[in-house]
Amino acid sequence: MKPANKGRRQMALIHAVIYSSILLVGYVVIYQRMPFPEPWNTIVLNIATSLSAGFAALMATLILKYFEKDESPHKVWKNLMIACWLWFAGEVLWSMYVLLYGVAPLGLFDITWVVGFIYFTLALYQQHAILFPAKKVFLRNISIFMWIMVLLLPIPVVLLTEGATLKTYMDFFYPFADLAVGVAGILLLFSFQGGAMMRPWIGLVVFGVTDYLYAWAEQTGIYAWSVDKGNLLSLFIDTSYTAAYIILALGFLAHWTLLRYGINEIQIRK
């Protein structure tokens, strides 16, 4: 990489980290201080989360533009782009539902999030298949098995929950799905040796931990109590969602800057 391009890449990453940090700190301050009358305070917080999700979707879209349709990475990034835009749509729809009705049981936003998981799975399968073409059948079977496990694992938890509903199932489905996709993505670490392609998936692991905490806190009633009392638990849970999107977006950004500012072509002397 040329020194000038390397400097531009570093500056782009530094600026992104600064702006992301400002957004995250601003989220925490607004969450705790509530400087705006309701529902505007909640609207501002939801906009911040949606912007973070949109940032990730935009970066995935920009990366896709660097690959032709006949190139193997095109399928990977196309699926990642679709997944991210679906999650962005889910955040917007969820925010609108909460604004209009005060609560968000089950709705169209759940469909966008679940379908988004499918596209994340396809992207991971295709990325692994590119690296290990001889193991495509094995990778496909592993993907199917993981989906079966993710669908079944919430059931015993739900059965032990008093007054369980479909929403209860979905509350516990999300953390298992997040962790499955996140861990599968981090396994790319061994193939990319800790490179830029590993970083975005850390955000999915953060989603998994956050979703599990939310599901537990929601079912025990602790989440509602924490919101009313201004407890740090609800702050941590809600802020972690925004942080997870930011981590995902910054991981994509690191990969985009690598493509944007490039690596010098290897010149072979005759």
Side-chain angles (χ1 to χ4, degrees):
M1 187 181 296
K2 295 179 181 179
N5 285 346
K6 183 177 180 181
R8 291 175 185 173
R9 180 171 187 258
Q10 289 176 341
M11 287 305 298
L13 292 173
I14 290 172
H15 286 158
V17 170
I18 292 173
Y19 294 143
S20 298
S21 299
I22 292 173
L23 177 64
L24 198 58
V25 171
Y27 185 98
V28 173
V29 171
I30 293 172
Y31 193 101
Q32 285 291 88
R33 300 291 183 179
M34 299 185 66
F36 309 108
E38 290 294 359
W40 292 107
N41 208 76
T42 299
I43 290 173
V44 171
L45 293 174
N46 290 340
I47 288 175
T49 303
S50 297
L51 284 175
S52 302
F55 180 29
L58 176 62
M59 294 314 307
T61 304
L62 292 176
I63 292 172
L64 177 64
K65 293 182 180 295
Y66 279 88
F67 300 104
E68 300 294 334
K69 291 184 178 180
D70 58 346
E71 292 182 293
S72 298
H74 184 274
K75 292 182 179 179
V76 176
W77 286 101
K78 181 180 180 180
N79 285 319
L80 285 175
M81 178 194 72
I82 294 172
C84 289
W85 281 117
L86 282 169
W87 279 19
F88 168 73
E91 292 296 338
V92 173
L93 289 170
W94 182 87
S95 299
M96 292 175 62
Y97 205 101
V98 170
L99 177 63
L100 293 173
Y101 302 104
V103 293
L106 291 176
L108 183 59
F109 44 86
D110 288 290
I111 296 175
T112 62
W113 286 329
V114 172
V115 176
F117 276 117
I118 295 174
Y119 279 99
F120 271 120
T121 304
L122 289 173
L124 278 166
Y125 163 74
Q126 288 160 350
Q127 181 63 73
H128 280 93
I130 290 172
L131 297 172
F132 310 104
K135 297 182 178 181
K136 283 186 177 181
V137 175
F138 172 75
L139 292 170
R140 182 194 64 197
N141 293 338
I142 286 293
S143 299
I144 294 172
F145 172 76
M146 290 302 297
W147 260 97
I148 292 173
M149 292 300 296
V150 167
L151 290 170
L152 292 178
L153 282 173
I155 294 178
V157 181
V158 171
L159 292 177
L160 294 173
T161 304
E162 185 177 353
T165 63
L166 179 59
K167 185 180 184 305
T168 307
Y169 173 86
M170 292 305 299
D171 284 343
F172 285 99
F173 162 81
Y174 288 129
F176 287 119
D178 284 323
L179 288 174
V181 173
V183 171
I186 286 180
L187 287 177
L188 291 173
L189 163 68
F190 299 102
S191 301
F192 287 98
Q193 299 180 352
M197 275 300 293
M198 184 274 294
R199 298 166 191 162
W201 306 106
I202 298 174
L204 273 298
V205 175
V206 175
F207 274 122
V209 175
T210 303
D211 277 327
Y212 178 78
L213 285 174
Y214 173 77
W216 167 77
E218 176 73 12
Q219 296 305 315
T220 58
I222 293 177
Y223 181 79
W225 173 85
S226 181
V227 172
D228 291 338
K229 300 296 182 180
N231 188 273
L232 291 178
L233 176 63
S234 61
L235 171 64
F236 174 79
I237 292 174
D238 292 340
T239 305
S240 294
Y241 277 111
T242 303
Y245 278 122
I246 290 174
I247 293 171
L248 187 66
L250 290 177
F252 288 162
L253 176 67
H255 192 68
W256 174 78
T257 55
L258 192 61
L259 295 170
R260 172 67 177 83
Y261 298 110
I263 301 175
N264 285 345
E265 294 183 1
I266 299 175
Q267 296 181 348
I268 303 177
R269 293 183 180 180
K270 294 182 180 179

